[in-house]
Amino acid sequence: MQRCHQEALKKNRVMLAKQLVLNVLVEHMVEKDIITTEMVEMIQAKSGSFDRNVEFLNLLPKRGPNAFSAFCEALRETKQQHLEAMILKTMSNLSHEIARLEHCHESDLPYPVSESCNSKRPRWLEPIEHSLDNGDGPSIPPVKYCTPEFYHNHQHLAYKLTSEPRGLALILSNVRFSSEKDLEYRAGGDVDCASLEMLFRHLGYRVTVCHDQTAQEMQNALERFSKLRDHRDVDSCIIALLSHGVEGGVYGSDGKLLQLQEAFRLFDNANCPNLQNKPKMFFIQACRGDELDRGVDQRDGKGWSDSPGCEESDANKEESLKLRLPTCSDMICGYACLKGTAAMRNTKRGSWYVEALTSVFAEDSRHTHVADMLVKVNRQIKQREGYAPGTEFHRCKEMSEYCSTLCRDLYLFPGYLPGK
């Protein structure tokens, strides 16, 4: 959702919370694929119409580029045109103010784009980027190999990870989106894709990359990848999704959402038997909402933020054993940001998360398992801070996270091949 749409809703929030009639309107929003039936249940669980309206208004700005227009259309369809007129009048006033400020702040300096869906902001609202990489993007550090001694001392508690290749990896990277959708070009996204492709290859994976796929093409690519017979002969797999996003989904190049739970389901023990008992790694570089994490002041301690530039939001069992498995296990998923918040991306260095992930995995995978490496990634992200004086992004923060159903230590043992 565009910033001006968010502002119009914000300025009319109290009136909307008091007057909005939701009971039929939410069904229109479900029909338009803006909210889900689970969200409707969450809204209806609130006591009183005011609280239900507040819950809906909290969700609406996070539901993608079509949410505002769909809401206005639903207001007309439910005979609440007076509320639409109130919002559009605020929009008109805001656009006049934006035009005045743009005239005052015109500049030829470059500006970055957003990782979230409220991306087409006027230039004066965007931070000026002071990249420290001389415009060439981050250097990709070489992966350091583990020693035979380390492998022999740790393999008994770890997943088997000695196949050649180690596994198959799939990267779906969207940087360009259809012109009719309110999703901007993800400058720096190609840097992320190149960095991850190089990292995964150096870690011993066979990598497939797909660029600028629609939501359906992404779904098809994931289904084909999950059904590859070659998964039987390798010890793990990696999936990386790089795009704009909202909580629970990432955008295809056509502006439609790919639901993450559907992606995860394709690789569970029921749907992907060739990867049963094998570790499956997911990395999601996308926003999970529009909220900027503005951080809080630390009460004590001497830690300093690391701000390198100005950023913004942007082994199988034999069938004869008949061993019962939970439907979902042996997965670990790293997210660039927390639920409801925006992910940060530098237009030349790439995203904060992928830069940290690449650096940590290249340096530490020789002697650290994946969960502990993702803790180190979290630590690096925690220390970073946006630098964009005079804008909403100045001193903004990000916090990555991961979730795991791994059942053993996941060491990648880079460079180690038994018997060689």
Side-chain angles (χ1 to χ4, degrees), residues 127-133 306-312 346 349 352 355 384-388 393 395-396:
I128 304 305
E129 184 161 38
H130 303 287
S131 178
L132 301 185
D133 56 11
D306 177 16
S307 304
C310 168
E311 333 285 347
E312 50 85 57
N346 183 297
R349 299 175 68 99
W352 290 10
E355 187 176 8
R384 293 191 70 158
E385 185 174 291
Y387 181 79
F393 300 109
R395 301 205 68 188
C396 66

mmCIF file with all atom_site columns, all heavy atoms in Angstrom, residues 127-133 306-312 346 349 352 355 384-388 393 395-396:
data_model
loop_
_atom_site.group_PDB
_atom_site.id
_atom_site.type_symbol
_atom_site.label_atom_id
_atom_site.label_alt_id
_atom_site.label_comp_id
_atom_site.label_asym_id
_atom_site.label_entity_id
_atom_site.label_seq_id
_atom_site.pdbx_PDB_ins_code
_atom_site.Cartn_x
_atom_site.Cartn_y
_atom_site.Cartn_z
_atom_site.occupancy
_atom_site.B_iso_or_equiv
_atom_site.pdbx_formal_charge
_atom_site.auth_seq_id
_atom_site.auth_comp_id
_atom_site.auth_asym_id
_atom_site.auth_atom_id
_atom_site.pdbx_PDB_model_num
ATOM 1   N N   . PRO A 1 127 ? 15.376 8.305   1.574  1.00 0.00 ? 127 PRO A N   1
ATOM 2   C CA  . PRO A 1 127 ? 16.701 8.687   2.033  1.00 0.00 ? 127 PRO A CA  1
ATOM 3   C C   . PRO A 1 127 ? 17.682 8.764   0.879  1.00 0.00 ? 127 PRO A C   1
ATOM 4   O O   . PRO A 1 127 ? 17.569 8.038   -0.093 1.00 0.00 ? 127 PRO A O   1
ATOM 5   C CB  . PRO A 1 127 ? 17.089 7.552   2.980  1.00 0.00 ? 127 PRO A CB  1
ATOM 6   C CG  . PRO A 1 127 ? 16.319 6.389   2.483  1.00 0.00 ? 127 PRO A CG  1
ATOM 7   C CD  . PRO A 1 127 ? 15.034 6.934   1.945  1.00 0.00 ? 127 PRO A CD  1
ATOM 8   N N   . ILE A 1 128 ? 18.643 9.680   0.994  1.00 0.00 ? 128 ILE A N   1
ATOM 9   C CA  . ILE A 1 128 ? 19.744 9.708   0.056  1.00 0.00 ? 128 ILE A CA  1
ATOM 10  C C   . ILE A 1 128 ? 20.728 8.627   0.472  1.00 0.00 ? 128 ILE A C   1
ATOM 11  O O   . ILE A 1 128 ? 21.088 8.500   1.633  1.00 0.00 ? 128 ILE A O   1
ATOM 12  C CB  . ILE A 1 128 ? 20.432 11.091  0.066  1.00 0.00 ? 128 ILE A CB  1
ATOM 13  C CG1 . ILE A 1 128 ? 19.400 12.169  -0.226 1.00 0.00 ? 128 ILE A CG1 1
ATOM 14  C CG2 . ILE A 1 128 ? 21.555 11.154  -0.942 1.00 0.00 ? 128 ILE A CG2 1
ATOM 15  C CD1 . ILE A 1 128 ? 18.625 11.973  -1.508 1.00 0.00 ? 128 ILE A CD1 1
ATOM 16  N N   . GLU A 1 129 ? 21.193 7.836   -0.473 1.00 0.00 ? 129 GLU A N   1
ATOM 17  C CA  . GLU A 1 129 ? 22.014 6.688   -0.140 1.00 0.00 ? 129 GLU A CA  1
ATOM 18  C C   . GLU A 1 129 ? 23.491 7.019   -0.230 1.00 0.00 ? 129 GLU A C   1
ATOM 19  O O   . GLU A 1 129 ? 23.956 7.534   -1.238 1.00 0.00 ? 129 GLU A O   1
ATOM 20  C CB  . GLU A 1 129 ? 21.699 5.533   -1.095 1.00 0.00 ? 129 GLU A CB  1
ATOM 21  C CG  . GLU A 1 129 ? 22.439 4.278   -0.753 1.00 0.00 ? 129 GLU A CG  1
ATOM 22  C CD  . GLU A 1 129 ? 21.787 3.091   -1.392 1.00 0.00 ? 129 GLU A CD  1
ATOM 23  O OE1 . GLU A 1 129 ? 21.319 3.208   -2.523 1.00 0.00 ? 129 GLU A OE1 1
ATOM 24  O OE2 . GLU A 1 129 ? 21.742 2.040   -0.746 1.00 0.00 ? 129 GLU A OE2 1
ATOM 25  N N   . HIS A 1 130 ? 24.216 6.762   0.837  1.00 0.00 ? 130 HIS A N   1
ATOM 26  C CA  . HIS A 1 130 ? 25.656 6.960   0.870  1.00 0.00 ? 130 HIS A CA  1
ATOM 27  C C   . HIS A 1 130 ? 26.307 5.597   0.989  1.00 0.00 ? 130 HIS A C   1
ATOM 28  O O   . HIS A 1 130 ? 26.681 5.161   2.066  1.00 0.00 ? 130 HIS A O   1
ATOM 29  C CB  . HIS A 1 130 ? 26.061 7.853   2.045  1.00 0.00 ? 130 HIS A CB  1
ATOM 30  C CG  . HIS A 1 130 ? 25.368 9.187   2.020  1.00 0.00 ? 130 HIS A CG  1
ATOM 31  N ND1 . HIS A 1 130 ? 25.688 10.178  1.132  1.00 0.00 ? 130 HIS A ND1 1
ATOM 32  C CD2 . HIS A 1 130 ? 24.352 9.669   2.775  1.00 0.00 ? 130 HIS A CD2 1
ATOM 33  C CE1 . HIS A 1 130 ? 24.920 11.237  1.339  1.00 0.00 ? 130 HIS A CE1 1
ATOM 34  N NE2 . HIS A 1 130 ? 24.091 10.948  2.331  1.00 0.00 ? 130 HIS A NE2 1
ATOM 35  N N   . SER A 1 131 ? 26.406 4.890   -0.128 1.00 0.00 ? 131 SER A N   1
ATOM 36  C CA  . SER A 1 131 ? 26.951 3.540   -0.107 1.00 0.00 ? 131 SER A CA  1
ATOM 37  C C   . SER A 1 131 ? 28.453 3.577   0.058  1.00 0.00 ? 131 SER A C   1
ATOM 38  O O   . SER A 1 131 ? 29.129 4.428   -0.506 1.00 0.00 ? 131 SER A O   1
ATOM 39  C CB  . SER A 1 131 ? 26.592 2.815   -1.410 1.00 0.00 ? 131 SER A CB  1
ATOM 40  O OG  . SER A 1 131 ? 27.159 1.540   -1.419 1.00 0.00 ? 131 SER A OG  1
ATOM 41  N N   . LEU A 1 132 ? 28.985 2.644   0.847  1.00 0.00 ? 132 LEU A N   1
ATOM 42  C CA  . LEU A 1 132 ? 30.419 2.591   1.091  1.00 0.00 ? 132 LEU A CA  1
ATOM 43  C C   . LEU A 1 132 ? 31.122 1.550   0.235  1.00 0.00 ? 132 LEU A C   1
ATOM 44  O O   . LEU A 1 132 ? 32.281 1.245   0.460  1.00 0.00 ? 132 LEU A O   1
ATOM 45  C CB  . LEU A 1 132 ? 30.675 2.273   2.572  1.00 0.00 ? 132 LEU A CB  1
ATOM 46  C CG  . LEU A 1 132 ? 30.077 3.260   3.564  1.00 0.00 ? 132 LEU A CG  1
ATOM 47  C CD1 . LEU A 1 132 ? 30.510 2.881   4.973  1.00 0.00 ? 132 LEU A CD1 1
ATOM 48  C CD2 . LEU A 1 132 ? 30.503 4.680   3.256  1.00 0.00 ? 132 LEU A CD2 1
ATOM 49  N N   . ASP A 1 133 ? 30.411 0.991   -0.768 1.00 0.00 ? 133 ASP A N   1
ATOM 50  C CA  . ASP A 1 133 ? 31.014 -0.071  -1.563 1.00 0.00 ? 133 ASP A CA  1
ATOM 51  C C   . ASP A 1 133 ? 31.497 0.412   -2.921 1.00 0.00 ? 133 ASP A C   1
ATOM 52  O O   . ASP A 1 133 ? 31.791 -0.385  -3.797 1.00 0.00 ? 133 ASP A O   1
ATOM 53  C CB  . ASP A 1 133 ? 30.033 -1.228  -1.749 1.00 0.00 ? 133 ASP A CB  1
ATOM 54  C CG  . ASP A 1 133 ? 28.719 -0.772  -2.381 1.00 0.00 ? 133 ASP A CG  1
ATOM 55  O OD1 . ASP A 1 133 ? 28.662 0.372   -2.848 1.00 0.00 ? 133 ASP A OD1 1
ATOM 56  O OD2 . ASP A 1 133 ? 27.783 -1.570  -2.421 1.00 0.00 ? 133 ASP A OD2 1
ATOM 57  N N   . ASP A 1 306 ? 26.584 -0.676  13.765 1.00 0.00 ? 306 ASP A N   1
ATOM 58  C CA  . ASP A 1 306 ? 27.381 -0.780  12.556 1.00 0.00 ? 306 ASP A CA  1
ATOM 59  C C   . ASP A 1 306 ? 26.512 -0.338  11.393 1.00 0.00 ? 306 ASP A C   1
ATOM 60  O O   . ASP A 1 306 ? 25.602 -1.043  10.992 1.00 0.00 ? 306 ASP A O   1
ATOM 61  C CB  . ASP A 1 306 ? 27.826 -2.237  12.361 1.00 0.00 ? 306 ASP A CB  1
ATOM 62  C CG  . ASP A 1 306 ? 28.594 -2.444  11.080 1.00 0.00 ? 306 ASP A CG  1
ATOM 63  O OD1 . ASP A 1 306 ? 29.029 -1.432  10.509 1.00 0.00 ? 306 ASP A OD1 1
ATOM 64  O OD2 . ASP A 1 306 ? 28.737 -3.604  10.661 1.00 0.00 ? 306 ASP A OD2 1
ATOM 65  N N   . SER A 1 307 ? 26.750 0.853   10.864 1.00 0.00 ? 307 SER A N   1
ATOM 66  C CA  . SER A 1 307 ? 25.919 1.419   9.809  1.00 0.00 ? 307 SER A CA  1
ATOM 67  C C   . SER A 1 307 ? 26.758 1.711   8.580  1.00 0.00 ? 307 SER A C   1
ATOM 68  O O   . SER A 1 307 ? 27.235 2.828   8.403  1.00 0.00 ? 307 SER A O   1
ATOM 69  C CB  . SER A 1 307 ? 25.248 2.712   10.299 1.00 0.00 ? 307 SER A CB  1
ATOM 70  O OG  . SER A 1 307 ? 24.514 2.458   11.465 1.00 0.00 ? 307 SER A OG  1
ATOM 71  N N   . PRO A 1 308 ? 26.985 0.747   7.716  1.00 0.00 ? 308 PRO A N   1
ATOM 72  C CA  . PRO A 1 308 ? 27.878 0.930   6.592  1.00 0.00 ? 308 PRO A CA  1
ATOM 73  C C   . PRO A 1 308 ? 27.299 1.774   5.480  1.00 0.00 ? 308 PRO A C   1
ATOM 74  O O   . PRO A 1 308 ? 27.941 1.983   4.468  1.00 0.00 ? 308 PRO A O   1
ATOM 75  C CB  . PRO A 1 308 ? 28.105 -0.502  6.101  1.00 0.00 ? 308 PRO A CB  1
ATOM 76  C CG  . PRO A 1 308 ? 26.867 -1.216  6.480  1.00 0.00 ? 308 PRO A CG  1
ATOM 77  C CD  . PRO A 1 308 ? 26.433 -0.599  7.778  1.00 0.00 ? 308 PRO A CD  1
ATOM 78  N N   . GLY A 1 309 ? 26.107 2.268   5.615  1.00 0.00 ? 309 GLY A N   1
ATOM 79  C CA  . GLY A 1 309 ? 25.542 3.099   4.558  1.00 0.00 ? 309 GLY A CA  1
ATOM 80  C C   . GLY A 1 309 ? 24.125 3.464   4.911  1.00 0.00 ? 309 GLY A C   1
ATOM 81  O O   . GLY A 1 309 ? 23.602 3.082   5.944  1.00 0.00 ? 309 GLY A O   1
ATOM 82  N N   . CYS A 1 310 ? 23.464 4.197   4.046  1.00 0.00 ? 310 CYS A N   1
ATOM 83  C CA  . CYS A 1 310 ? 22.082 4.589   4.267  1.00 0.00 ? 310 CYS A CA  1
ATOM 84  C C   . CYS A 1 310 ? 21.166 3.552   3.647  1.00 0.00 ? 310 CYS A C   1
ATOM 85  O O   . CYS A 1 310 ? 21.261 3.267   2.474  1.00 0.00 ? 310 CYS A O   1
ATOM 86  C CB  . CYS A 1 310 ? 21.857 5.954   3.636  1.00 0.00 ? 310 CYS A CB  1
ATOM 87  S SG  . CYS A 1 310 ? 20.152 6.396   3.543  1.00 0.00 ? 310 CYS A SG  1
ATOM 88  N N   . GLU A 1 311 ? 20.300 2.965   4.444  1.00 0.00 ? 311 GLU A N   1
ATOM 89  C CA  . GLU A 1 311 ? 19.459 1.895   3.967  1.00 0.00 ? 311 GLU A CA  1
ATOM 90  C C   . GLU A 1 311 ? 17.984 2.261   4.097  1.00 0.00 ? 311 GLU A C   1
ATOM 91  O O   . GLU A 1 311 ? 17.627 3.265   4.661  1.00 0.00 ? 311 GLU A O   1
ATOM 92  C CB  . GLU A 1 311 ? 19.709 0.609   4.789  1.00 0.00 ? 311 GLU A CB  1
ATOM 93  C CG  . GLU A 1 311 ? 21.074 0.494   5.394  1.00 0.00 ? 311 GLU A CG  1
ATOM 94  C CD  . GLU A 1 311 ? 22.139 0.152   4.392  1.00 0.00 ? 311 GLU A CD  1
ATOM 95  O OE1 . GLU A 1 311 ? 21.791 -0.242  3.279  1.00 0.00 ? 311 GLU A OE1 1
ATOM 96  O OE2 . GLU A 1 311 ? 23.319 0.295   4.732  1.00 0.00 ? 311 GLU A OE2 1
ATOM 97  N N   . GLU A 1 312 ? 17.105 1.371   3.583  1.00 0.00 ? 312 GLU A N   1
ATOM 98  C CA  . GLU A 1 312 ? 15.694 1.543   3.805  1.00 0.00 ? 312 GLU A CA  1
ATOM 99  C C   . GLU A 1 312 ? 14.962 0.231   3.558  1.00 0.00 ? 312 GLU A C   1
ATOM 100 O O   . GLU A 1 312 ? 15.541 -0.744  3.151  1.00 0.00 ? 312 GLU A O   1
ATOM 101 C CB  . GLU A 1 312 ? 15.145 2.676   2.935  1.00 0.00 ? 312 GLU A CB  1
ATOM 102 C CG  . GLU A 1 312 ? 15.503 2.599   1.478  1.00 0.00 ? 312 GLU A CG  1
ATOM 103 C CD  . GLU A 1 312 ? 14.580 1.738   0.645  1.00 0.00 ? 312 GLU A CD  1
ATOM 104 O OE1 . GLU A 1 312 ? 13.385 2.012   0.630  1.00 0.00 ? 312 GLU A OE1 1
ATOM 105 O OE2 . GLU A 1 312 ? 15.057 0.803   0.035  1.00 0.00 ? 312 GLU A OE2 1
ATOM 106 N N   . ASN A 1 346 ? 19.972 -2.077  0.680  1.00 0.00 ? 346 ASN A N   1
ATOM 107 C CA  . ASN A 1 346 ? 20.788 -1.023  0.093  1.00 0.00 ? 346 ASN A CA  1
ATOM 108 C C   . ASN A 1 346 ? 20.846 -1.257  -1.408 1.00 0.00 ? 346 ASN A C   1
ATOM 109 O O   . ASN A 1 346 ? 21.075 -2.380  -1.853 1.00 0.00 ? 346 ASN A O   1
ATOM 110 C CB  . ASN A 1 346 ? 22.191 -1.068  0.714  1.00 0.00 ? 346 ASN A CB  1
ATOM 111 C CG  . ASN A 1 346 ? 23.111 0.038   0.232  1.00 0.00 ? 346 ASN A CG  1
ATOM 112 O OD1 . ASN A 1 346 ? 23.436 0.106   -0.944 1.00 0.00 ? 346 ASN A OD1 1
ATOM 113 N ND2 . ASN A 1 346 ? 23.547 0.875   1.149  1.00 0.00 ? 346 ASN A ND2 1
ATOM 114 N N   . ARG A 1 349 ? 24.666 -2.436  -2.218 1.00 0.00 ? 349 ARG A N   1
ATOM 115 C CA  . ARG A 1 349 ? 25.217 -3.556  -1.444 1.00 0.00 ? 349 ARG A CA  1
ATOM 116 C C   . ARG A 1 349 ? 24.264 -4.733  -1.373 1.00 0.00 ? 349 ARG A C   1
ATOM 117 O O   . ARG A 1 349 ? 24.661 -5.839  -1.026 1.00 0.00 ? 349 ARG A O   1
ATOM 118 C CB  . ARG A 1 349 ? 25.541 -3.102  -0.024 1.00 0.00 ? 349 ARG A CB  1
ATOM 119 C CG  . ARG A 1 349 ? 26.573 -1.994  0.087  1.00 0.00 ? 349 ARG A CG  1
ATOM 120 C CD  . ARG A 1 349 ? 26.724 -1.550  1.539  1.00 0.00 ? 349 ARG A CD  1
ATOM 121 N NE  . ARG A 1 349 ? 27.324 -2.598  2.344  1.00 0.00 ? 349 ARG A NE  1
ATOM 122 C CZ  . ARG A 1 349 ? 28.610 -2.636  2.660  1.00 0.00 ? 349 ARG A CZ  1
ATOM 123 N NH1 . ARG A 1 349 ? 29.425 -1.709  2.218  1.00 0.00 ? 349 ARG A NH1 1
ATOM 124 N NH2 . ARG A 1 349 ? 29.087 -3.611  3.396  1.00 0.00 ? 349 ARG A NH2 1
ATOM 125 N N   . TRP A 1 352 ? 20.466 -6.054  3.908  1.00 0.00 ? 352 TRP A N   1
ATOM 126 C CA  . TRP A 1 352 ? 21.216 -6.273  5.138  1.00 0.00 ? 352 TRP A CA  1
ATOM 127 C C   . TRP A 1 352 ? 21.314 -7.773  5.433  1.00 0.00 ? 352 TRP A C   1
ATOM 128 O O   . TRP A 1 352 ? 22.363 -8.268  5.807  1.00 0.00 ? 352 TRP A O   1
ATOM 129 C CB  . TRP A 1 352 ? 20.497 -5.605  6.309  1.00 0.00 ? 352 TRP A CB  1
ATOM 130 C CG  . TRP A 1 352 ? 20.502 -4.116  6.317  1.00 0.00 ? 352 TRP A CG  1
ATOM 131 C CD1 . TRP A 1 352 ? 20.900 -3.276  5.320  1.00 0.00 ? 352 TRP A CD1 1
ATOM 132 C CD2 . TRP A 1 352 ? 20.073 -3.288  7.398  1.00 0.00 ? 352 TRP A CD2 1
ATOM 133 N NE1 . TRP A 1 352 ? 20.727 -1.977  5.712  1.00 0.00 ? 352 TRP A NE1 1
ATOM 134 C CE2 . TRP A 1 352 ? 20.229 -1.951  6.968  1.00 0.00 ? 352 TRP A CE2 1
ATOM 135 C CE3 . TRP A 1 352 ? 19.572 -3.540  8.665  1.00 0.00 ? 352 TRP A CE3 1
ATOM 136 C CZ2 . TRP A 1 352 ? 19.889 -0.865  7.783  1.00 0.00 ? 352 TRP A CZ2 1
ATOM 137 C CZ3 . TRP A 1 352 ? 19.233 -2.469  9.478  1.00 0.00 ? 352 TRP A CZ3 1
ATOM 138 C CH2 . TRP A 1 352 ? 19.401 -1.147  9.040  1.00 0.00 ? 352 TRP A CH2 1
ATOM 139 N N   . GLU A 1 355 ? 23.525 -9.912  2.945  1.00 0.00 ? 355 GLU A N   1
ATOM 140 C CA  . GLU A 1 355 ? 24.923 -9.549  3.144  1.00 0.00 ? 355 GLU A CA  1
ATOM 141 C C   . GLU A 1 355 ? 25.486 -10.221 4.396  1.00 0.00 ? 355 GLU A C   1
ATOM 142 O O   . GLU A 1 355 ? 26.590 -10.784 4.388  1.00 0.00 ? 355 GLU A O   1
ATOM 143 C CB  . GLU A 1 355 ? 25.080 -8.033  3.244  1.00 0.00 ? 355 GLU A CB  1
ATOM 144 C CG  . GLU A 1 355 ? 26.522 -7.575  3.277  1.00 0.00 ? 355 GLU A CG  1
ATOM 145 C CD  . GLU A 1 355 ? 26.666 -6.063  3.289  1.00 0.00 ? 355 GLU A CD  1
ATOM 146 O OE1 . GLU A 1 355 ? 25.646 -5.353  3.416  1.00 0.00 ? 355 GLU A OE1 1
ATOM 147 O OE2 . GLU A 1 355 ? 27.815 -5.591  3.183  1.00 0.00 ? 355 GLU A OE2 1
ATOM 148 N N   . ARG A 1 384 ? 23.109 -3.213  13.126 1.00 0.00 ? 384 ARG A N   1
ATOM 149 C CA  . ARG A 1 384 ? 23.036 -2.264  12.012 1.00 0.00 ? 384 ARG A CA  1
ATOM 150 C C   . ARG A 1 384 ? 21.975 -1.203  12.255 1.00 0.00 ? 384 ARG A C   1
ATOM 151 O O   . ARG A 1 384 ? 21.007 -1.410  12.996 1.00 0.00 ? 384 ARG A O   1
ATOM 152 C CB  . ARG A 1 384 ? 22.769 -2.992  10.701 1.00 0.00 ? 384 ARG A CB  1
ATOM 153 C CG  . ARG A 1 384 ? 23.930 -3.862  10.274 1.00 0.00 ? 384 ARG A CG  1
ATOM 154 C CD  . ARG A 1 384 ? 23.775 -4.355  8.861  1.00 0.00 ? 384 ARG A CD  1
ATOM 155 N NE  . ARG A 1 384 ? 23.924 -3.274  7.889  1.00 0.00 ? 384 ARG A NE  1
ATOM 156 C CZ  . ARG A 1 384 ? 24.244 -3.475  6.615  1.00 0.00 ? 384 ARG A CZ  1
ATOM 157 N NH1 . ARG A 1 384 ? 24.435 -4.707  6.160  1.00 0.00 ? 384 ARG A NH1 1
ATOM 158 N NH2 . ARG A 1 384 ? 24.360 -2.465  5.786  1.00 0.00 ? 384 ARG A NH2 1
ATOM 159 N N   . GLU A 1 385 ? 22.164 -0.097  11.571 1.00 0.00 ? 385 GLU A N   1
ATOM 160 C CA  . GLU A 1 385 ? 21.265 1.035   11.755 1.00 0.00 ? 385 GLU A CA  1
ATOM 161 C C   . GLU A 1 385 ? 21.253 1.885   10.495 1.00 0.00 ? 385 GLU A C   1
ATOM 162 O O   . GLU A 1 385 ? 22.295 2.134   9.889  1.00 0.00 ? 385 GLU A O   1
ATOM 163 C CB  . GLU A 1 385 ? 21.744 1.867   12.949 1.00 0.00 ? 385 GLU A CB  1
ATOM 164 C CG  . GLU A 1 385 ? 20.829 3.012   13.338 1.00 0.00 ? 385 GLU A CG  1
ATOM 165 C CD  . GLU A 1 385 ? 21.315 3.672   14.618 1.00 0.00 ? 385 GLU A CD  1
ATOM 166 O OE1 . GLU A 1 385 ? 21.222 3.019   15.686 1.00 0.00 ? 385 GLU A OE1 1
ATOM 167 O OE2 . GLU A 1 385 ? 21.800 4.815   14.544 1.00 0.00 ? 385 GLU A OE2 1
ATOM 168 N N   . GLY A 1 386 ? 20.081 2.315   10.077 1.00 0.00 ? 386 GLY A N   1
ATOM 169 C CA  . GLY A 1 386 ? 19.977 3.168   8.906  1.00 0.00 ? 386 GLY A CA  1
ATOM 170 C C   . GLY A 1 386 ? 20.527 4.560   9.161  1.00 0.00 ? 386 GLY A C   1
ATOM 171 O O   . GLY A 1 386 ? 20.393 5.098   10.254 1.00 0.00 ? 386 GLY A O   1
ATOM 172 N N   . TYR A 1 387 ? 21.133 5.128   8.133  1.00 0.00 ? 387 TYR A N   1
ATOM 173 C CA  . TYR A 1 387 ? 21.620 6.505   8.248  1.00 0.00 ? 387 TYR A CA  1
ATOM 174 C C   . TYR A 1 387 ? 21.023 7.320   7.113  1.00 0.00 ? 387 TYR A C   1
ATOM 175 O O   . TYR A 1 387 ? 21.422 7.205   5.955  1.00 0.00 ? 387 TYR A O   1
ATOM 176 C CB  . TYR A 1 387 ? 23.142 6.550   8.183  1.00 0.00 ? 387 TYR A CB  1
ATOM 177 C CG  . TYR A 1 387 ? 23.699 7.956   8.319  1.00 0.00 ? 387 TYR A CG  1
ATOM 178 C CD1 . TYR A 1 387 ? 23.797 8.560   9.567  1.00 0.00 ? 387 TYR A CD1 1
ATOM 179 C CD2 . TYR A 1 387 ? 24.096 8.677   7.194  1.00 0.00 ? 387 TYR A CD2 1
ATOM 180 C CE1 . TYR A 1 387 ? 24.274 9.845   9.692  1.00 0.00 ? 387 TYR A CE1 1
ATOM 181 C CE2 . TYR A 1 387 ? 24.574 9.963   7.308  1.00 0.00 ? 387 TYR A CE2 1
ATOM 182 C CZ  . TYR A 1 387 ? 24.668 10.550  8.563  1.00 0.00 ? 387 TYR A CZ  1
ATOM 183 O OH  . TYR A 1 387 ? 25.142 11.836  8.683  1.00 0.00 ? 387 TYR A OH  1
ATOM 184 N N   . ALA A 1 388 ? 20.029 8.138   7.433  1.00 0.00 ? 388 ALA A N   1
ATOM 185 C CA  . ALA A 1 388 ? 19.356 8.962   6.433  1.00 0.00 ? 388 ALA A CA  1
ATOM 186 C C   . ALA A 1 388 ? 18.760 10.177  7.125  1.00 0.00 ? 388 ALA A C   1
ATOM 187 O O   . ALA A 1 388 ? 17.549 10.268  7.317  1.00 0.00 ? 388 ALA A O   1
ATOM 188 C CB  . ALA A 1 388 ? 18.278 8.152   5.728  1.00 0.00 ? 388 ALA A CB  1
ATOM 189 N N   . PHE A 1 393 ? 13.691 6.989   7.662  1.00 0.00 ? 393 PHE A N   1
ATOM 190 C CA  . PHE A 1 393 ? 14.582 5.853   7.732  1.00 0.00 ? 393 PHE A CA  1
ATOM 191 C C   . PHE A 1 393 ? 15.817 6.100   8.594  1.00 0.00 ? 393 PHE A C   1
ATOM 192 O O   . PHE A 1 393 ? 16.607 5.194   8.814  1.00 0.00 ? 393 PHE A O   1
ATOM 193 C CB  . PHE A 1 393 ? 15.031 5.444   6.328  1.00 0.00 ? 393 PHE A CB  1
ATOM 194 C CG  . PHE A 1 393 ? 13.888 5.064   5.436  1.00 0.00 ? 393 PHE A CG  1
ATOM 195 C CD1 . PHE A 1 393 ? 13.506 5.885   4.399  1.00 0.00 ? 393 PHE A CD1 1
ATOM 196 C CD2 . PHE A 1 393 ? 13.184 3.893   5.653  1.00 0.00 ? 393 PHE A CD2 1
ATOM 197 C CE1 . PHE A 1 393 ? 12.446 5.539   3.580  1.00 0.00 ? 393 PHE A CE1 1
ATOM 198 C CE2 . PHE A 1 393 ? 12.131 3.532   4.835  1.00 0.00 ? 393 PHE A CE2 1
ATOM 199 C CZ  . PHE A 1 393 ? 11.761 4.366   3.794  1.00 0.00 ? 393 PHE A CZ  1
ATOM 200 N N   . ARG A 1 395 ? 18.198 6.126   11.434 1.00 0.00 ? 395 ARG A N   1
ATOM 201 C CA  . ARG A 1 395 ? 18.349 5.317   12.630 1.00 0.00 ? 395 ARG A CA  1
ATOM 202 C C   . ARG A 1 395 ? 17.309 4.187   12.717 1.00 0.00 ? 395 ARG A C   1
ATOM 203 O O   . ARG A 1 395 ? 17.023 3.678   13.806 1.00 0.00 ? 395 ARG A O   1
ATOM 204 C CB  . ARG A 1 395 ? 18.293 6.173   13.895 1.00 0.00 ? 395 ARG A CB  1
ATOM 205 C CG  . ARG A 1 395 ? 19.358 7.256   13.958 1.00 0.00 ? 395 ARG A CG  1
ATOM 206 C CD  . ARG A 1 395 ? 19.662 7.653   15.379 1.00 0.00 ? 395 ARG A CD  1
ATOM 207 N NE  . ARG A 1 395 ? 20.321 6.563   16.085 1.00 0.00 ? 395 ARG A NE  1
ATOM 208 C CZ  . ARG A 1 395 ? 20.582 6.564   17.401 1.00 0.00 ? 395 ARG A CZ  1
ATOM 209 N NH1 . ARG A 1 395 ? 20.200 7.605   18.140 1.00 0.00 ? 395 ARG A NH1 1
ATOM 210 N NH2 . ARG A 1 395 ? 21.190 5.540   17.971 1.00 0.00 ? 395 ARG A NH2 1
ATOM 211 N N   . CYS A 1 396 ? 16.731 3.800   11.566 1.00 0.00 ? 396 CYS A N   1
ATOM 212 C CA  . CYS A 1 396 ? 15.813 2.661   11.570 1.00 0.00 ? 396 CYS A CA  1
ATOM 213 C C   . CYS A 1 396 ? 16.588 1.370   11.830 1.00 0.00 ? 396 CYS A C   1
ATOM 214 O O   . CYS A 1 396 ? 17.799 1.294   11.611 1.00 0.00 ? 396 CYS A O   1
ATOM 215 C CB  . CYS A 1 396 ? 15.043 2.570   10.260 1.00 0.00 ? 396 CYS A CB  1
ATOM 216 S SG  . CYS A 1 396 ? 16.064 2.193   8.833  1.00 0.00 ? 396 CYS A SG  1
#
